[in-house]
Amino acid sequence: MAHTNIPNYNPDEVERKWQAKWDADGLYHSDIHPDEKKFYALTMLPYPSGDLHIGHWYAMTPSDARARFKRMNGYNVLFPIGFDAFGLPAENAAIKHNIHPKKWTYANIDRMRTQLKSMGAMFDWRREIISADEKYYKWTQWFFIKLFEHGLAYRKMSPVDWCPKDQTTLAREQVVGEDRHCERCGTPVIKKDLEQWFFKITDYAEELLNFEGIDWPERVRTLQTNWIGKSVGALVTFKTEAGDPIEVFTTRPDTLWGVTFMVLAPEHPLVQKLTTPENQVNVEQYIMDAQRQSDIQREAADKEKTGEFTGGYAINPVSGERIPVWIADYVLMTYGTGAIMAVPAHDQRDFEFARKFKLPVKVVVQPAGAPKLEAGEMNEAIPAAGELVNSGPLTGTPGSESFERAVEYVAKLGVGHASTNYRLRDWLISRQRYWGAPIPIVYCKKHGAVAVPEDQLPVKLPEDVEWKPTGQSPLKLHPTWSRTTCPICGEPAERETDTMDTFMCSSWYFLRYLSPDDDKAPFDQKEYDYWMPVDTYTGGIEHATMHLIYTRFFHKALRDMGIVKGDEPMMQLRNQGMVLGEDSEKMSKSRGNVVAPDDLVKAYGADTVRAYLMFFARWDMGGPWSSGGIDGVQRWLRRTWTTLLEPAAAGKASEGDIKTLRRRVHQTLKAVTRDFESFEFNTIISSLMELMNDMSKLKEKVGGSAAWAEATEIYLKMLAPVAPHISEELWERLGKPYSIHTQSWPRVDEEAAREEEITLVVQVNGKVRERITVPAGIDEESAKKAALESEAVYRFLEGKTPKQVIYVRGRLVNIVV
RNA sequence: GCCGGAGUGGCGGAAUUGGCAGACGCGCACGACUCAAAAUCGUGUUCCCUCGGGAAUGUGGGUUCGAUUCCCACCUUCGGCACCA
């Protein structure tokens, strides 16, 4: 079978040739064409960490293939790329290798740009953005000022999460895991009281829970919903005996008559006042202990309850009962009001606390069906709703309306009202590090925090800075940089020396792709009106409660300022899984299980790597890399090469063979089209492999026919988004007009795709006994008749009469005996 | 504890609406070609079997003529949240 008269498939040569030509021709330039429908395909912008990782390829290749598919389907496609270039790793590498963060970052970008280009993606490089460029971060600062002007950026002193290794504060979203460690470096965080800048994302908590009109994965929606943590309840005001109000948030206003004590967070402002002299020493000791403990210790769920009695009492506003006020670290100052009403009969935490400190338990809810609750006999709290008992005027209220009735009651008394609480906190954006966009604020003695005027942007990041982390912002240590004048009064003033969280840069980057060089505005309005919103956004799920929630907030805030339109920036989101090492572990240099795409491209060519990444796992699931499997994909592309280039045999094709070929081609086209739409990339490749297997078998007979010409043309068009170089090369060698990537996606010939004969499965009692070939259009009567007459059925019926015969059109007959 | 995903051959995975379980590929075995090997091509490959069949999609039930698919309970595993009032 060896044919020596056709050239060998040399991926390296083919790929270099076409990448150069596409680049020279501007084949992937995306410009506004008002008469064409647009498609904005976006892949999450990479951090320039040094080398392009196989994970980047895994994320971007199918996104690129789908963008190409959309282009062939008549869309004017925008598929841009850029670099999320500010951030800690640059600074850490700078310290380690004593190289300036800027130099390190831009050298990495140069390397990664070359690596990205080897992928052969349809990126429009004219639109590349680098978030660390002055012309980019000028607008990041501009957005900060807009948020500031609209009251969505504010500064406050509060206990914040601090990473002792990276020497900076972190947003809550960037503190992860049970031991509450830094998302970047893994070091457990500590609390520090600092004055920091925040964005008021909590203003949008309710709206962020609404995913109507966007096609985002259930998983991301759940993660964001949990993160926002909505609780519906009521705020109720108790009073101390001295008359000071203590407001509590409760989700169970129906249990108000069951309150037997109150608990304040140790940091609660009323603690000092409430504490009686004889409890002073113990309370102060407890507060000090609580402060010393890390969050990890304090928030451990299985920890035994601790607390201290203040000696003070409060009055229950509905019952008038006098109840003791305690402090305990299970009540957090950062959630709700920092104080709770304790109902030990119906809340497990309060129950444990009451049992430990011998506080009374009072039953006020009797769930239907449960035995009558007796406080003395309970060994756990009963949180279920039910009929109210021992609840003053509300006694006898059924569980179904107890919540509403209780809220009405406290509202009538003027001591409370319905309220909703969210777990979401405002976004802390100050970072005490060098390599970020400076916060464009000036502090004036007279005017306080003043925004830098727009015409003075950008506030440039100086390069002559000692960047080693000291816990102080490096910009603060610069001898002159922070010295300036107040934009309002002109008096000497100080610049803010913290930089912004890099998630600020990535919250709006997809807008900068629209007009990366515009120096009048963050984006060009014409470009915006044509391209936005993003139609498909692809990337990892790890940003569900970081980037993806920030960018939605950002968009909504800009919408309310009239800067952008619509409620959401990205209409459809899809997440890829993760490529693991061959040992099924996360790839890491220390484990030595890293797969380098550059090596693979060298050995197999980009097309094989692309196709294998699309083939080897379900894209949304990912999985361990297997070095063996890639050979199969390489074999398939080589087979494609030889099958399409070998001269056709002179033989005459039979009508049956032609029909078979066309049927297979159009059936495959149908499946591939469907799978591109639904992100099922692995079955695209297997369908193409199957078709190639069939084509190579049929070629000897049909190689000279018009059907064969049609088959090769459709096959190459389907292959083009997956393997853009080899398909372009074969397209050219078959004498077709340049470029295959500007061709239209073929149309399915339904007539040709239709099966003429089908295999009818014959079951007896649900077990397959026979397969018979029948005409596709067979009617029910004939199908049943054919089944009953088959030899196997005769054997299995053993003379018995069928009780029932079930027919599924075009599929099977089941004979029930 | 709560929320969500996943469990199918030796391996990655496929199966459109409840209708042929294991497509496609890897690996393996055998064969062709070769002095030989590689490459390539071909055949086979879930398990058991008395060669008639039988069993099988994490486990146990249920619905159905028929369940990888729907329902209930559970196990394992991955991810998120977690003293959130």
mmCIF file with all atom_site columns, all heavy atoms in Angstrom, chain A residues 53-69:
data_model
loop_
_atom_site.group_PDB
_atom_site.id
_atom_site.type_symbol
_atom_site.label_atom_id
_atom_site.label_alt_id
_atom_site.label_comp_id
_atom_site.label_asym_id
_atom_site.label_entity_id
_atom_site.label_seq_id
_atom_site.pdbx_PDB_ins_code
_atom_site.Cartn_x
_atom_site.Cartn_y
_atom_site.Cartn_z
_atom_site.occupancy
_atom_site.B_iso_or_equiv
_atom_site.pdbx_formal_charge
_atom_site.auth_seq_id
_atom_site.auth_comp_id
_atom_site.auth_asym_id
_atom_site.auth_atom_id
_atom_site.pdbx_PDB_model_num
ATOM 1   N N   . HIS A 1 53 ? 1.240   26.996 28.910 1.00 0.00 ? 53 HIS A N   1
ATOM 2   C CA  . HIS A 1 53 ? 1.021   25.731 29.578 1.00 0.00 ? 53 HIS A CA  1
ATOM 3   C C   . HIS A 1 53 ? 0.053   24.910 28.733 1.00 0.00 ? 53 HIS A C   1
ATOM 4   O O   . HIS A 1 53 ? -0.702  25.463 27.947 1.00 0.00 ? 53 HIS A O   1
ATOM 5   C CB  . HIS A 1 53 ? 0.391   26.088 30.936 1.00 0.00 ? 53 HIS A CB  1
ATOM 6   C CG  . HIS A 1 53 ? 0.221   24.962 31.871 1.00 0.00 ? 53 HIS A CG  1
ATOM 7   N ND1 . HIS A 1 53 ? -0.968  24.292 31.997 1.00 0.00 ? 53 HIS A ND1 1
ATOM 8   C CD2 . HIS A 1 53 ? 1.077   24.408 32.762 1.00 0.00 ? 53 HIS A CD2 1
ATOM 9   C CE1 . HIS A 1 53 ? -0.840  23.354 32.928 1.00 0.00 ? 53 HIS A CE1 1
ATOM 10  N NE2 . HIS A 1 53 ? 0.394   23.414 33.408 1.00 0.00 ? 53 HIS A NE2 1
ATOM 11  N N   . ILE A 1 54 ? 0.065   23.590 28.903 1.00 0.00 ? 54 ILE A N   1
ATOM 12  C CA  . ILE A 1 54 ? -0.875  22.761 28.142 1.00 0.00 ? 54 ILE A CA  1
ATOM 13  C C   . ILE A 1 54 ? -2.319  23.145 28.491 1.00 0.00 ? 54 ILE A C   1
ATOM 14  O O   . ILE A 1 54 ? -3.216  23.037 27.661 1.00 0.00 ? 54 ILE A O   1
ATOM 15  C CB  . ILE A 1 54 ? -0.609  21.246 28.392 1.00 0.00 ? 54 ILE A CB  1
ATOM 16  C CG1 . ILE A 1 54 ? -1.312  20.378 27.337 1.00 0.00 ? 54 ILE A CG1 1
ATOM 17  C CG2 . ILE A 1 54 ? -1.046  20.829 29.790 1.00 0.00 ? 54 ILE A CG2 1
ATOM 18  C CD1 . ILE A 1 54 ? -0.660  20.375 25.999 1.00 0.00 ? 54 ILE A CD1 1
ATOM 19  N N   . GLY A 1 55 ? -2.516  23.643 29.705 1.00 0.00 ? 55 GLY A N   1
ATOM 20  C CA  . GLY A 1 55 ? -3.836  24.100 30.122 1.00 0.00 ? 55 GLY A CA  1
ATOM 21  C C   . GLY A 1 55 ? -4.332  25.265 29.280 1.00 0.00 ? 55 GLY A C   1
ATOM 22  O O   . GLY A 1 55 ? -5.513  25.364 28.977 1.00 0.00 ? 55 GLY A O   1
ATOM 23  N N   . HIS A 1 56 ? -3.419  26.159 28.877 1.00 0.00 ? 56 HIS A N   1
ATOM 24  C CA  . HIS A 1 56 ? -3.796  27.253 27.976 1.00 0.00 ? 56 HIS A CA  1
ATOM 25  C C   . HIS A 1 56 ? -4.271  26.695 26.634 1.00 0.00 ? 56 HIS A C   1
ATOM 26  O O   . HIS A 1 56 ? -5.281  27.129 26.095 1.00 0.00 ? 56 HIS A O   1
ATOM 27  C CB  . HIS A 1 56 ? -2.604  28.183 27.718 1.00 0.00 ? 56 HIS A CB  1
ATOM 28  C CG  . HIS A 1 56 ? -2.184  28.988 28.914 1.00 0.00 ? 56 HIS A CG  1
ATOM 29  N ND1 . HIS A 1 56 ? -0.897  28.917 29.421 1.00 0.00 ? 56 HIS A ND1 1
ATOM 30  C CD2 . HIS A 1 56 ? -2.851  29.853 29.697 1.00 0.00 ? 56 HIS A CD2 1
ATOM 31  C CE1 . HIS A 1 56 ? -0.806  29.728 30.462 1.00 0.00 ? 56 HIS A CE1 1
ATOM 32  N NE2 . HIS A 1 56 ? -1.977  30.303 30.657 1.00 0.00 ? 56 HIS A NE2 1
ATOM 33  N N   . TRP A 1 57 ? -3.520  25.740 26.128 1.00 0.00 ? 57 TRP A N   1
ATOM 34  C CA  . TRP A 1 57 ? -3.898  25.109 24.859 1.00 0.00 ? 57 TRP A CA  1
ATOM 35  C C   . TRP A 1 57 ? -5.260  24.434 24.988 1.00 0.00 ? 57 TRP A C   1
ATOM 36  O O   . TRP A 1 57 ? -6.090  24.498 24.086 1.00 0.00 ? 57 TRP A O   1
ATOM 37  C CB  . TRP A 1 57 ? -2.857  24.056 24.462 1.00 0.00 ? 57 TRP A CB  1
ATOM 38  C CG  . TRP A 1 57 ? -1.669  24.588 23.723 1.00 0.00 ? 57 TRP A CG  1
ATOM 39  C CD1 . TRP A 1 57 ? -0.633  25.281 24.251 1.00 0.00 ? 57 TRP A CD1 1
ATOM 40  C CD2 . TRP A 1 57 ? -1.389  24.434 22.321 1.00 0.00 ? 57 TRP A CD2 1
ATOM 41  N NE1 . TRP A 1 57 ? 0.287   25.570 23.265 1.00 0.00 ? 57 TRP A NE1 1
ATOM 42  C CE2 . TRP A 1 57 ? -0.155  25.052 22.074 1.00 0.00 ? 57 TRP A CE2 1
ATOM 43  C CE3 . TRP A 1 57 ? -2.058  23.824 21.258 1.00 0.00 ? 57 TRP A CE3 1
ATOM 44  C CZ2 . TRP A 1 57 ? 0.422   25.085 20.805 1.00 0.00 ? 57 TRP A CZ2 1
ATOM 45  C CZ3 . TRP A 1 57 ? -1.478  23.853 19.998 1.00 0.00 ? 57 TRP A CZ3 1
ATOM 46  C CH2 . TRP A 1 57 ? -0.248  24.493 19.775 1.00 0.00 ? 57 TRP A CH2 1
ATOM 47  N N   . TYR A 1 58 ? -5.446  23.775 26.110 1.00 0.00 ? 58 TYR A N   1
ATOM 48  C CA  . TYR A 1 58 ? -6.691  23.035 26.319 1.00 0.00 ? 58 TYR A CA  1
ATOM 49  C C   . TYR A 1 58 ? -7.883  23.988 26.377 1.00 0.00 ? 58 TYR A C   1
ATOM 50  O O   . TYR A 1 58 ? -8.962  23.685 25.876 1.00 0.00 ? 58 TYR A O   1
ATOM 51  C CB  . TYR A 1 58 ? -6.596  22.229 27.622 1.00 0.00 ? 58 TYR A CB  1
ATOM 52  C CG  . TYR A 1 58 ? -7.746  21.273 27.827 1.00 0.00 ? 58 TYR A CG  1
ATOM 53  C CD1 . TYR A 1 58 ? -7.917  20.188 26.980 1.00 0.00 ? 58 TYR A CD1 1
ATOM 54  C CD2 . TYR A 1 58 ? -8.648  21.443 28.868 1.00 0.00 ? 58 TYR A CD2 1
ATOM 55  C CE1 . TYR A 1 58 ? -8.966  19.298 27.160 1.00 0.00 ? 58 TYR A CE1 1
ATOM 56  C CE2 . TYR A 1 58 ? -9.700  20.564 29.057 1.00 0.00 ? 58 TYR A CE2 1
ATOM 57  C CZ  . TYR A 1 58 ? -9.856  19.496 28.200 1.00 0.00 ? 58 TYR A CZ  1
ATOM 58  O OH  . TYR A 1 58 ? -10.899 18.626 28.385 1.00 0.00 ? 58 TYR A OH  1
ATOM 59  N N   . ALA A 1 59 ? -7.669  25.143 26.988 1.00 0.00 ? 59 ALA A N   1
ATOM 60  C CA  . ALA A 1 59 ? -8.746  26.124 27.099 1.00 0.00 ? 59 ALA A CA  1
ATOM 61  C C   . ALA A 1 59 ? -9.004  26.799 25.759 1.00 0.00 ? 59 ALA A C   1
ATOM 62  O O   . ALA A 1 59 ? -10.144 27.017 25.365 1.00 0.00 ? 59 ALA A O   1
ATOM 63  C CB  . ALA A 1 59 ? -8.388  27.168 28.153 1.00 0.00 ? 59 ALA A CB  1
ATOM 64  N N   . MET A 1 60 ? -7.924  27.136 25.054 1.00 0.00 ? 60 MET A N   1
ATOM 65  C CA  . MET A 1 60 ? -8.053  28.025 23.901 1.00 0.00 ? 60 MET A CA  1
ATOM 66  C C   . MET A 1 60 ? -8.318  27.312 22.587 1.00 0.00 ? 60 MET A C   1
ATOM 67  O O   . MET A 1 60 ? -8.978  27.876 21.712 1.00 0.00 ? 60 MET A O   1
ATOM 68  C CB  . MET A 1 60 ? -6.786  28.863 23.763 1.00 0.00 ? 60 MET A CB  1
ATOM 69  C CG  . MET A 1 60 ? -6.600  29.843 24.893 1.00 0.00 ? 60 MET A CG  1
ATOM 70  S SD  . MET A 1 60 ? -4.996  30.655 24.731 1.00 0.00 ? 60 MET A SD  1
ATOM 71  C CE  . MET A 1 60 ? -5.007  31.658 26.218 1.00 0.00 ? 60 MET A CE  1
ATOM 72  N N   . THR A 1 61 ? -7.794  26.097 22.411 1.00 0.00 ? 61 THR A N   1
ATOM 73  C CA  . THR A 1 61 ? -7.930  25.442 21.109 1.00 0.00 ? 61 THR A CA  1
ATOM 74  C C   . THR A 1 61 ? -9.390  25.200 20.736 1.00 0.00 ? 61 THR A C   1
ATOM 75  O O   . THR A 1 61 ? -9.818  25.585 19.647 1.00 0.00 ? 61 THR A O   1
ATOM 76  C CB  . THR A 1 61 ? -7.126  24.129 21.081 1.00 0.00 ? 61 THR A CB  1
ATOM 77  O OG1 . THR A 1 61 ? -5.772  24.416 21.357 1.00 0.00 ? 61 THR A OG1 1
ATOM 78  C CG2 . THR A 1 61 ? -7.240  23.461 19.742 1.00 0.00 ? 61 THR A CG2 1
ATOM 79  N N   . PRO A 1 62 ? -10.186 24.588 21.607 1.00 0.00 ? 62 PRO A N   1
ATOM 80  C CA  . PRO A 1 62 ? -11.592 24.393 21.234 1.00 0.00 ? 62 PRO A CA  1
ATOM 81  C C   . PRO A 1 62 ? -12.332 25.727 21.082 1.00 0.00 ? 62 PRO A C   1
ATOM 82  O O   . PRO A 1 62 ? -13.222 25.839 20.234 1.00 0.00 ? 62 PRO A O   1
ATOM 83  C CB  . PRO A 1 62 ? -12.173 23.584 22.396 1.00 0.00 ? 62 PRO A CB  1
ATOM 84  C CG  . PRO A 1 62 ? -10.985 22.937 23.034 1.00 0.00 ? 62 PRO A CG  1
ATOM 85  C CD  . PRO A 1 62 ? -9.884  23.928 22.888 1.00 0.00 ? 62 PRO A CD  1
ATOM 86  N N   . SER A 1 63 ? -11.957 26.716 21.868 1.00 0.00 ? 63 SER A N   1
ATOM 87  C CA  . SER A 1 63 ? -12.583 28.029 21.724 1.00 0.00 ? 63 SER A CA  1
ATOM 88  C C   . SER A 1 63 ? -12.275 28.608 20.353 1.00 0.00 ? 63 SER A C   1
ATOM 89  O O   . SER A 1 63 ? -13.132 29.199 19.702 1.00 0.00 ? 63 SER A O   1
ATOM 90  C CB  . SER A 1 63 ? -12.076 28.976 22.811 1.00 0.00 ? 63 SER A CB  1
ATOM 91  O OG  . SER A 1 63 ? -12.292 28.417 24.083 1.00 0.00 ? 63 SER A OG  1
ATOM 92  N N   . ASP A 1 64 ? -11.033 28.424 19.936 1.00 0.00 ? 64 ASP A N   1
ATOM 93  C CA  . ASP A 1 64 ? -10.618 28.887 18.609 1.00 0.00 ? 64 ASP A CA  1
ATOM 94  C C   . ASP A 1 64 ? -11.360 28.109 17.521 1.00 0.00 ? 64 ASP A C   1
ATOM 95  O O   . ASP A 1 64 ? -11.868 28.698 16.566 1.00 0.00 ? 64 ASP A O   1
ATOM 96  C CB  . ASP A 1 64 ? -9.107  28.697 18.447 1.00 0.00 ? 64 ASP A CB  1
ATOM 97  C CG  . ASP A 1 64 ? -8.633  28.996 17.030 1.00 0.00 ? 64 ASP A CG  1
ATOM 98  O OD1 . ASP A 1 64 ? -8.859  30.132 16.563 1.00 0.00 ? 64 ASP A OD1 1
ATOM 99  O OD2 . ASP A 1 64 ? -8.059  28.098 16.386 1.00 0.00 ? 64 ASP A OD2 1
ATOM 100 N N   . ALA A 1 65 ? -11.445 26.793 17.698 1.00 0.00 ? 65 ALA A N   1
ATOM 101 C CA  . ALA A 1 65 ? -12.111 25.964 16.691 1.00 0.00 ? 65 ALA A CA  1
ATOM 102 C C   . ALA A 1 65 ? -13.571 26.407 16.544 1.00 0.00 ? 65 ALA A C   1
ATOM 103 O O   . ALA A 1 65 ? -14.101 26.514 15.438 1.00 0.00 ? 65 ALA A O   1
ATOM 104 C CB  . ALA A 1 65 ? -12.044 24.491 17.093 1.00 0.00 ? 65 ALA A CB  1
ATOM 105 N N   . ARG A 1 66 ? -14.197 26.708 17.661 1.00 0.00 ? 66 ARG A N   1
ATOM 106 C CA  . ARG A 1 66 ? -15.604 27.093 17.621 1.00 0.00 ? 66 ARG A CA  1
ATOM 107 C C   . ARG A 1 66 ? -15.755 28.495 17.014 1.00 0.00 ? 66 ARG A C   1
ATOM 108 O O   . ARG A 1 66 ? -16.712 28.758 16.292 1.00 0.00 ? 66 ARG A O   1
ATOM 109 C CB  . ARG A 1 66 ? -16.204 27.050 19.019 1.00 0.00 ? 66 ARG A CB  1
ATOM 110 C CG  . ARG A 1 66 ? -17.712 26.988 18.993 1.00 0.00 ? 66 ARG A CG  1
ATOM 111 C CD  . ARG A 1 66 ? -18.249 26.541 20.334 1.00 0.00 ? 66 ARG A CD  1
ATOM 112 N NE  . ARG A 1 66 ? -19.701 26.490 20.315 1.00 0.00 ? 66 ARG A NE  1
ATOM 113 C CZ  . ARG A 1 66 ? -20.494 27.538 20.481 1.00 0.00 ? 66 ARG A CZ  1
ATOM 114 N NH1 . ARG A 1 66 ? -19.958 28.731 20.670 1.00 0.00 ? 66 ARG A NH1 1
ATOM 115 N NH2 . ARG A 1 66 ? -21.799 27.402 20.443 1.00 0.00 ? 66 ARG A NH2 1
ATOM 116 N N   . ALA A 1 67 ? -14.806 29.374 17.299 1.00 0.00 ? 67 ALA A N   1
ATOM 117 C CA  . ALA A 1 67 ? -14.834 30.709 16.690 1.00 0.00 ? 67 ALA A CA  1
ATOM 118 C C   . ALA A 1 67 ? -14.709 30.574 15.175 1.00 0.00 ? 67 ALA A C   1
ATOM 119 O O   . ALA A 1 67 ? -15.405 31.256 14.406 1.00 0.00 ? 67 ALA A O   1
ATOM 120 C CB  . ALA A 1 67 ? -13.701 31.562 17.255 1.00 0.00 ? 67 ALA A CB  1
ATOM 121 N N   . ARG A 1 68 ? -13.824 29.675 14.717 1.00 0.00 ? 68 ARG A N   1
ATOM 122 C CA  . ARG A 1 68 ? -13.654 29.424 13.276 1.00 0.00 ? 68 ARG A CA  1
ATOM 123 C C   . ARG A 1 68 ? -14.929 28.847 12.673 1.00 0.00 ? 68 ARG A C   1
ATOM 124 O O   . ARG A 1 68 ? -15.324 29.203 11.553 1.00 0.00 ? 68 ARG A O   1
ATOM 125 C CB  . ARG A 1 68 ? -12.494 28.457 13.053 1.00 0.00 ? 68 ARG A CB  1
ATOM 126 C CG  . ARG A 1 68 ? -11.137 29.038 13.386 1.00 0.00 ? 68 ARG A CG  1
ATOM 127 C CD  . ARG A 1 68 ? -10.058 27.955 13.330 1.00 0.00 ? 68 ARG A CD  1
ATOM 128 N NE  . ARG A 1 68 ? -8.721  28.512 13.453 1.00 0.00 ? 68 ARG A NE  1
ATOM 129 C CZ  . ARG A 1 68 ? -8.042  29.066 12.450 1.00 0.00 ? 68 ARG A CZ  1
ATOM 130 N NH1 . ARG A 1 68 ? -8.587  29.114 11.240 1.00 0.00 ? 68 ARG A NH1 1
ATOM 131 N NH2 . ARG A 1 68 ? -6.853  29.569 12.634 1.00 0.00 ? 68 ARG A NH2 1
ATOM 132 N N   . PHE A 1 69 ? -15.545 27.936 13.420 1.00 0.00 ? 69 PHE A N   1
ATOM 133 C CA  . PHE A 1 69 ? -16.808 27.336 12.975 1.00 0.00 ? 69 PHE A CA  1
ATOM 134 C C   . PHE A 1 69 ? -17.864 28.423 12.788 1.00 0.00 ? 69 PHE A C   1
ATOM 135 O O   . PHE A 1 69 ? -18.585 28.443 11.790 1.00 0.00 ? 69 PHE A O   1
ATOM 136 C CB  . PHE A 1 69 ? -17.253 26.299 14.004 1.00 0.00 ? 69 PHE A CB  1
ATOM 137 C CG  . PHE A 1 69 ? -18.665 25.802 13.838 1.00 0.00 ? 69 PHE A CG  1
ATOM 138 C CD1 . PHE A 1 69 ? -18.976 24.868 12.866 1.00 0.00 ? 69 PHE A CD1 1
ATOM 139 C CD2 . PHE A 1 69 ? -19.680 26.264 14.665 1.00 0.00 ? 69 PHE A CD2 1
ATOM 140 C CE1 . PHE A 1 69 ? -20.273 24.408 12.709 1.00 0.00 ? 69 PHE A CE1 1
ATOM 141 C CE2 . PHE A 1 69 ? -20.982 25.807 14.517 1.00 0.00 ? 69 PHE A CE2 1
ATOM 142 C CZ  . PHE A 1 69 ? -21.279 24.888 13.531 1.00 0.00 ? 69 PHE A CZ  1
#
